[in-house]
Amino acid sequence: SMFSGARGALGDLKAAVGHVNPRGLLLGIVGLVAAAYLASGIYVVAPGEAAVVRRFGAVVEPRVGPGLHYRVPWPIDRVDLVDVSTVRRETVGIIEPEGDHEHPEPPARLQALSGDTNVIDIEIVVQYQVRDPAAYLVNVRYAPYRLVRDAVRASVTSQVTTLPVDNILTTERQALQQAIRTDVQERLDAYNAGLAVVGVNLQKAFPPGDVAAAFTDVNSAREDRARAINEAQGYANSLIPQARGEAEQIGAAAQAYRSDALGQANGGAQAFTALLSEYETNA
């Protein structure tokens, strides 16, 4: 029957494993589990990455380079891999979203007030990468692009207020770009964010659309003023030499007339003196 068949199978199983020591079997299983647990501490760091090992939350290895490494398995040690080679890119003030660079927040304009109280639209592209993976993991509590973006916005607001609008739009753009880069790095360092600014590109600095025409008119007026000054200066430069030549000519003529008049007067005086002397002799 089926019941007798089951009993036979059970008997065969007992006969097969009856010679196995249960304690040895248990120790073998425990050994395999322990080996698997210890083996779970092996980890690999790929090129371009760095590993940060934390033990009970405290950083014990801040920057582990590429290769095969070992740490105490979970829950004692924790390993986080950080990309330290990729140069990340963030746009600030550009309202057109990039296809491969979108964020949950919609892009927004970046406007700042110049030193002479003019509103300027700014468009900036900033490149950055992770310099200190341990500081980056521990101190950056939200998306790094937000930290970089907000640092750029604060820096632009601070730096633009030191310059008049004409300098921002023309002669001081390169200096402003460098000042923003330095200031952004100082802000990130103050946060101990572990991020390094690779480059800052001040793509555009321009007046808002609704006042752009007024800026154009002012610039045109300034150009007209400069042109009028240059033309007047050119006329003066041509007139002054001519006037100096005429003055020298008049001076020379006057000197000649003076010499002639003195000569005639001296001659008349000498003739009178001779006549007087002759008169006094014959008197």
Side-chain angles (χ1 to χ4, degrees):
S1 66
M2 182 180 297
F3 182 71
S4 61
R7 280 194 304 177
L10 184 59
D12 293 340
L13 180 61
K14 286 181 178 181
V17 299
H19 65 282
V20 177
N21 185 353
R23 183 176 179 179
L25 179 61
L26 180 61
L27 289 176
I29 294 174
V30 171
L32 288 175
V33 172
Y37 174 72
L38 293 175
S40 67
I42 300 173
Y43 65 97
V44 177
V45 181
E49 292 182 336
V52 178
V53 180
R54 286 180 277 185
R55 182 164 299 156
F56 298 120
V59 176
V60 292
E61 294 187 67
R63 191 183 188 110
V64 181
L68 187 66
H69 304 279
Y70 186 83
R71 47 90 179 183
V72 180
W74 181 91
I76 300 175
D77 283 359
R78 170 183 172 178
V79 173
D80 292 284
L81 299 177
V82 180
D83 184 344
V84 294
S85 63
T86 300
V87 176
R88 313 179 192 194
R89 184 173 184 269
E90 179 63 21
T91 60
V92 186
I94 300 176
I95 60 175
E96 294 295 331
E98 296 181 295
D100 58 345
H101 194 70
E102 294 184 2
H103 299 315
E105 308 90 343
R109 290 198 302 175
L110 173 57
Q111 292 186 321
L113 200 64
S114 67
D116 51 0
T117 64
N118 286 281
V119 176
I120 302 297
D121 280 353
I122 304 290
E123 293 184 357
I124 287 180
V125 175
V126 57
Q127 295 174 313
Y128 65 99
Q129 62 185 156
V130 176
R131 177 176 59 193
D132 185 337
Y136 170 74
L137 282 176
V138 173
N139 299 322
V140 178
R141 300 295 183 180
Y142 57 106
Y145 76 84
R146 291 180 58 193
L147 182 62
V148 172
R149 181 194 60 194
D150 293 344
V152 170
R153 286 183 172 273
S155 177
V156 168
T157 302
S158 172
Q159 296 297 320
V160 168
T161 55
T162 65
L163 297 171
V165 64
D166 291 334
N167 295 34
I168 296 171
L169 299 180
T170 54
T171 58
E172 296 295 324
R173 286 188 60 173
Q174 192 66 30
L176 175 61
Q177 176 176 286
Q178 184 59 42
I180 291 172
R181 174 176 180 173
T182 301
D183 190 58
V184 169
Q185 185 64 67
E186 290 177 353
R187 291 174 186 271
L188 294 176
D189 291 343
Y191 303 150
N192 196 19
L195 298 174
V197 177
V198 176
V200 169
N201 181 15
L202 178 59
Q203 288 198 327
K204 290 182 181 179
F206 56 97
D210 48 357
V211 296
F215 269 84
T216 302
D217 292 342
V218 170
N219 289 334
S220 297
R222 286 198 177 106
E223 291 174 0
D224 292 342
R225 174 176 175 269
R227 184 168 55 252
I229 291 174
N230 290 335
E231 290 176 354
Q233 190 66 43
Y235 177 69
N237 291 337
S238 64
L239 187 63
I240 289 175
Q242 179 181 353
R244 283 176 180 161
E246 292 176 356
E248 290 177 358
Q249 184 178 0
I250 293 173
Q255 187 65 33
Y257 175 75
R258 175 178 176 276
S259 298
D260 184 59
L262 285 175
Q264 291 182 4
N266 289 332
Q270 290 175 359
F272 179 79
T273 301
L275 182 63
L276 177 60
S277 177
E278 182 70 23
Y279 174 77
E280 290 176 346
T281 300
N282 296 327

